[in-house]
Amino acid sequence: PPPLKKKQTAMTACMCLACVDTGEVGLLQMFGKYSSTAGPGLNCIIWPLQTMAKVSTKVFQIDVRTDTKTKDNVTLTVTTAIQCAVDPERAHDYYFKLSNPHAQVSSYVHDCIRSLLPTLDLDKAFESKDAMAMQIKETVAKAMEQYGLNVVSALVTDMNVDPSVLQAMNEINASRRQREAAVERAEAEKILAVKAAEAEAESKELSGKGTARMRQAITEGFKGSIESMRESCGLEPREVVHMMITTQYLDVLKNFAESGKATMVVPHGPAAVNDIESQVRAGFPQVEAAVAAMANVGADPSAPPPQHPAGMQLQEEGEGSLDAMLGFNQVRM
């Protein structure tokens, strides 16, 4: 029989052109083994001996939502945005070593947040957003560096609490501000009260000084009138005081009548003027005693008070003498 011939099989290979876009790199594999990295542009590959896989080097974002609680047992949902990009020089590590980059990055973010927030109360957690974002970036970048993934930035975009907790926080803040407003209002009222008291004290002091000056002026005026009338008419102080008091009383009645805005009940009848005169005369003993005391200042205390004959005569003559002096006869007419 004829000898057997071995079947010979020829492998055919061809040169192919592959285009890589800007923002991407091509990973070349020879028989399934990584051989090199092709940059953007036109590249030649030997097909089917070589294959190419494209990897984007653009920045992409991974959004992570983490549920945790704070030190004061408030449930909190934190939303974090991790912005990453593949290192072109280590794109093969990213492609061949990572199977699910989003899940693996999220795991590191969850671990970082859940180890940090339980050590802070709610208010401190809101105040520490920047520090927390920086710590998340450092943790994820250190973990993903060996896989050729660069962390560009880490942002804590939102921190959500339960609506009832948020309402309670607002009520606490409102109560605190109302308390501060009440304290400020009380301080303002205190200042106003103190200033009003100081003003009243100064006003009373000035009023007292004015009253003292007025009384001093009145006293000096009375004294001058008494001395003038005694020198010109020969009247004694008691008689002058009697006439001045009666005249002032009649002037008061005249002012009441002319003002038209005040009402005063005055006794009316034939004996009205006599009643007024008797009431004025009733105060003479006190006036006489005061005048005698003023005259005896510096004199012998045991000496009797001086009496003027005209005064004695006025007391003995009584009503007729006073009527003649004050002109009460004309009033009665």
Side-chain angles (χ1 to χ4, degrees):
L4 296 177
K5 295 182 178 180
K6 294 182 179 180
K7 185 178 180 180
Q8 297 180 356
T9 303
M11 179 175 292
T12 303
C14 62
M15 184 72 68
C16 296
L17 300 178
C19 184
V20 179
D21 296 333
T22 302
E24 294 180 344
V25 293
L27 302 179
L28 298 177
Q29 294 176 262
M30 177 69 73
F31 298 110
K33 181 181 179 181
Y34 169 74
S35 59
S36 63
T37 301
L42 187 62
N43 296 275
C44 297
I45 62 173
I46 303 174
W47 189 85
L49 302 180
Q50 287 182 321
T51 57
M52 177 183 289
K54 296 181 180 181
V55 177
S56 175
T57 57
K58 299 177 181 179
V59 177
F60 61 93
Q61 179 170 302
I62 302 174
D63 293 324
V64 183
R65 292 175 59 87
T66 307
D67 295 326
T68 183
K69 70 174 184 176
T70 60
K71 185 177 181 180
D72 47 356
N73 294 324
V74 177
T75 303
L76 195 64
T77 301
V78 182
T79 302
T80 310
I82 307 298
Q83 297 177 351
C84 308
V86 177
D87 185 3
E89 300 296 331
R90 304 188 61 182
H92 58 283
D93 291 331
Y94 173 80
Y95 185 79
F96 293 111
K97 293 182 180 180
L98 288 178
S99 61
N100 191 348
H102 287 70
Q104 289 170 300
V105 170
S106 298
S107 298
Y108 284 105
V109 173
H110 291 325
D111 180 70
C112 182
I113 292 177
R114 288 171 180 165
S115 62
L116 177 62
L117 281 184
T119 62
L120 306 174
D121 55 19
L122 186 59
D123 294 335
K124 191 66 176 178
F126 278 97
E127 295 175 0
S128 304
K129 288 179 60 177
D130 294 339
M132 183 166 51
M134 186 177 298
Q135 185 170 349
I136 292 173
K137 178 182 177 181
E138 292 176 357
T139 301
V140 177
K142 184 177 180 180
M144 293 290 107
E145 184 180 4
Q146 58 181 326
Y147 302 112
L149 187 62
N150 297 329
V151 178
V152 178
S153 64
L155 306 173
V156 178
T157 59
D158 197 6
M159 299 179 68
N160 295 324
V161 297
D162 188 82
S164 60
V165 177
L166 186 62
Q167 182 179 0
M169 292 175 59
N170 293 334
E171 292 178 355
I172 292 173
N173 291 331
S175 300
R176 183 184 298 114
R177 295 189 180 277
Q178 289 177 359
R179 182 170 62 252
E180 293 176 356
V183 171
E184 295 296 333
R185 186 165 52 251
E187 289 293 334
E189 293 177 355
K190 175 183 176 181
I191 294 174
L192 291 177
V194 171
K195 293 299 182 182
E198 292 177 353
E200 183 178 1
E202 293 179 0
S203 175
K204 289 183 178 180
E205 181 180 0
L206 296 176
S207 177
K209 292 180 180 179
T211 303
R213 292 176 182 176
M214 180 188 69
R215 292 175 178 174
Q216 183 179 2
I218 292 174
T219 302
E220 292 177 355
F222 277 138
K223 180 180 179 182
S225 298
I226 291 173
E227 292 178 354
S228 177
M229 295 186 70
R230 183 174 59 180
E231 293 175 357
S232 61
C233 301
L235 298 177
E236 289 298 319
R238 186 181 68 172
E239 298 171 352
V240 175
V241 172
H242 180 195
M243 183 177 64
M244 293 175 63
I245 293 177
T246 305
T247 304
Q248 288 182 355
Y249 178 76
L250 296 176
D251 290 339
V252 170
L253 296 181
K254 180 180 177 181
N255 292 334
F256 266 102
E258 292 178 350
S259 64
K261 299 181 180 179
T263 302
M264 180 176 182
V265 179
V266 181
H268 179 70
V273 178
N274 291 332
D275 293 339
I276 295 172
E277 182 182 355
S278 62
Q279 292 176 10
V280 174
R281 186 183 290 112
F284 283 170
Q286 298 179 0
V287 176
E288 185 177 1
V291 172
M294 293 174 59
N296 291 333
V297 173
D300 187 5
S302 61
Q307 294 184 353
H308 196 273
M312 296 297 293
Q313 182 180 2
L314 179 64
Q315 184 176 7
E316 292 175 358
E317 291 178 356
E319 183 177 358
S321 174
L322 287 173
D323 290 343
M325 181 183 67
L326 297 177
F328 276 111
N329 291 330
Q330 297 180 3
V331 177
R332 287 170 182 159
M333 291 175 63

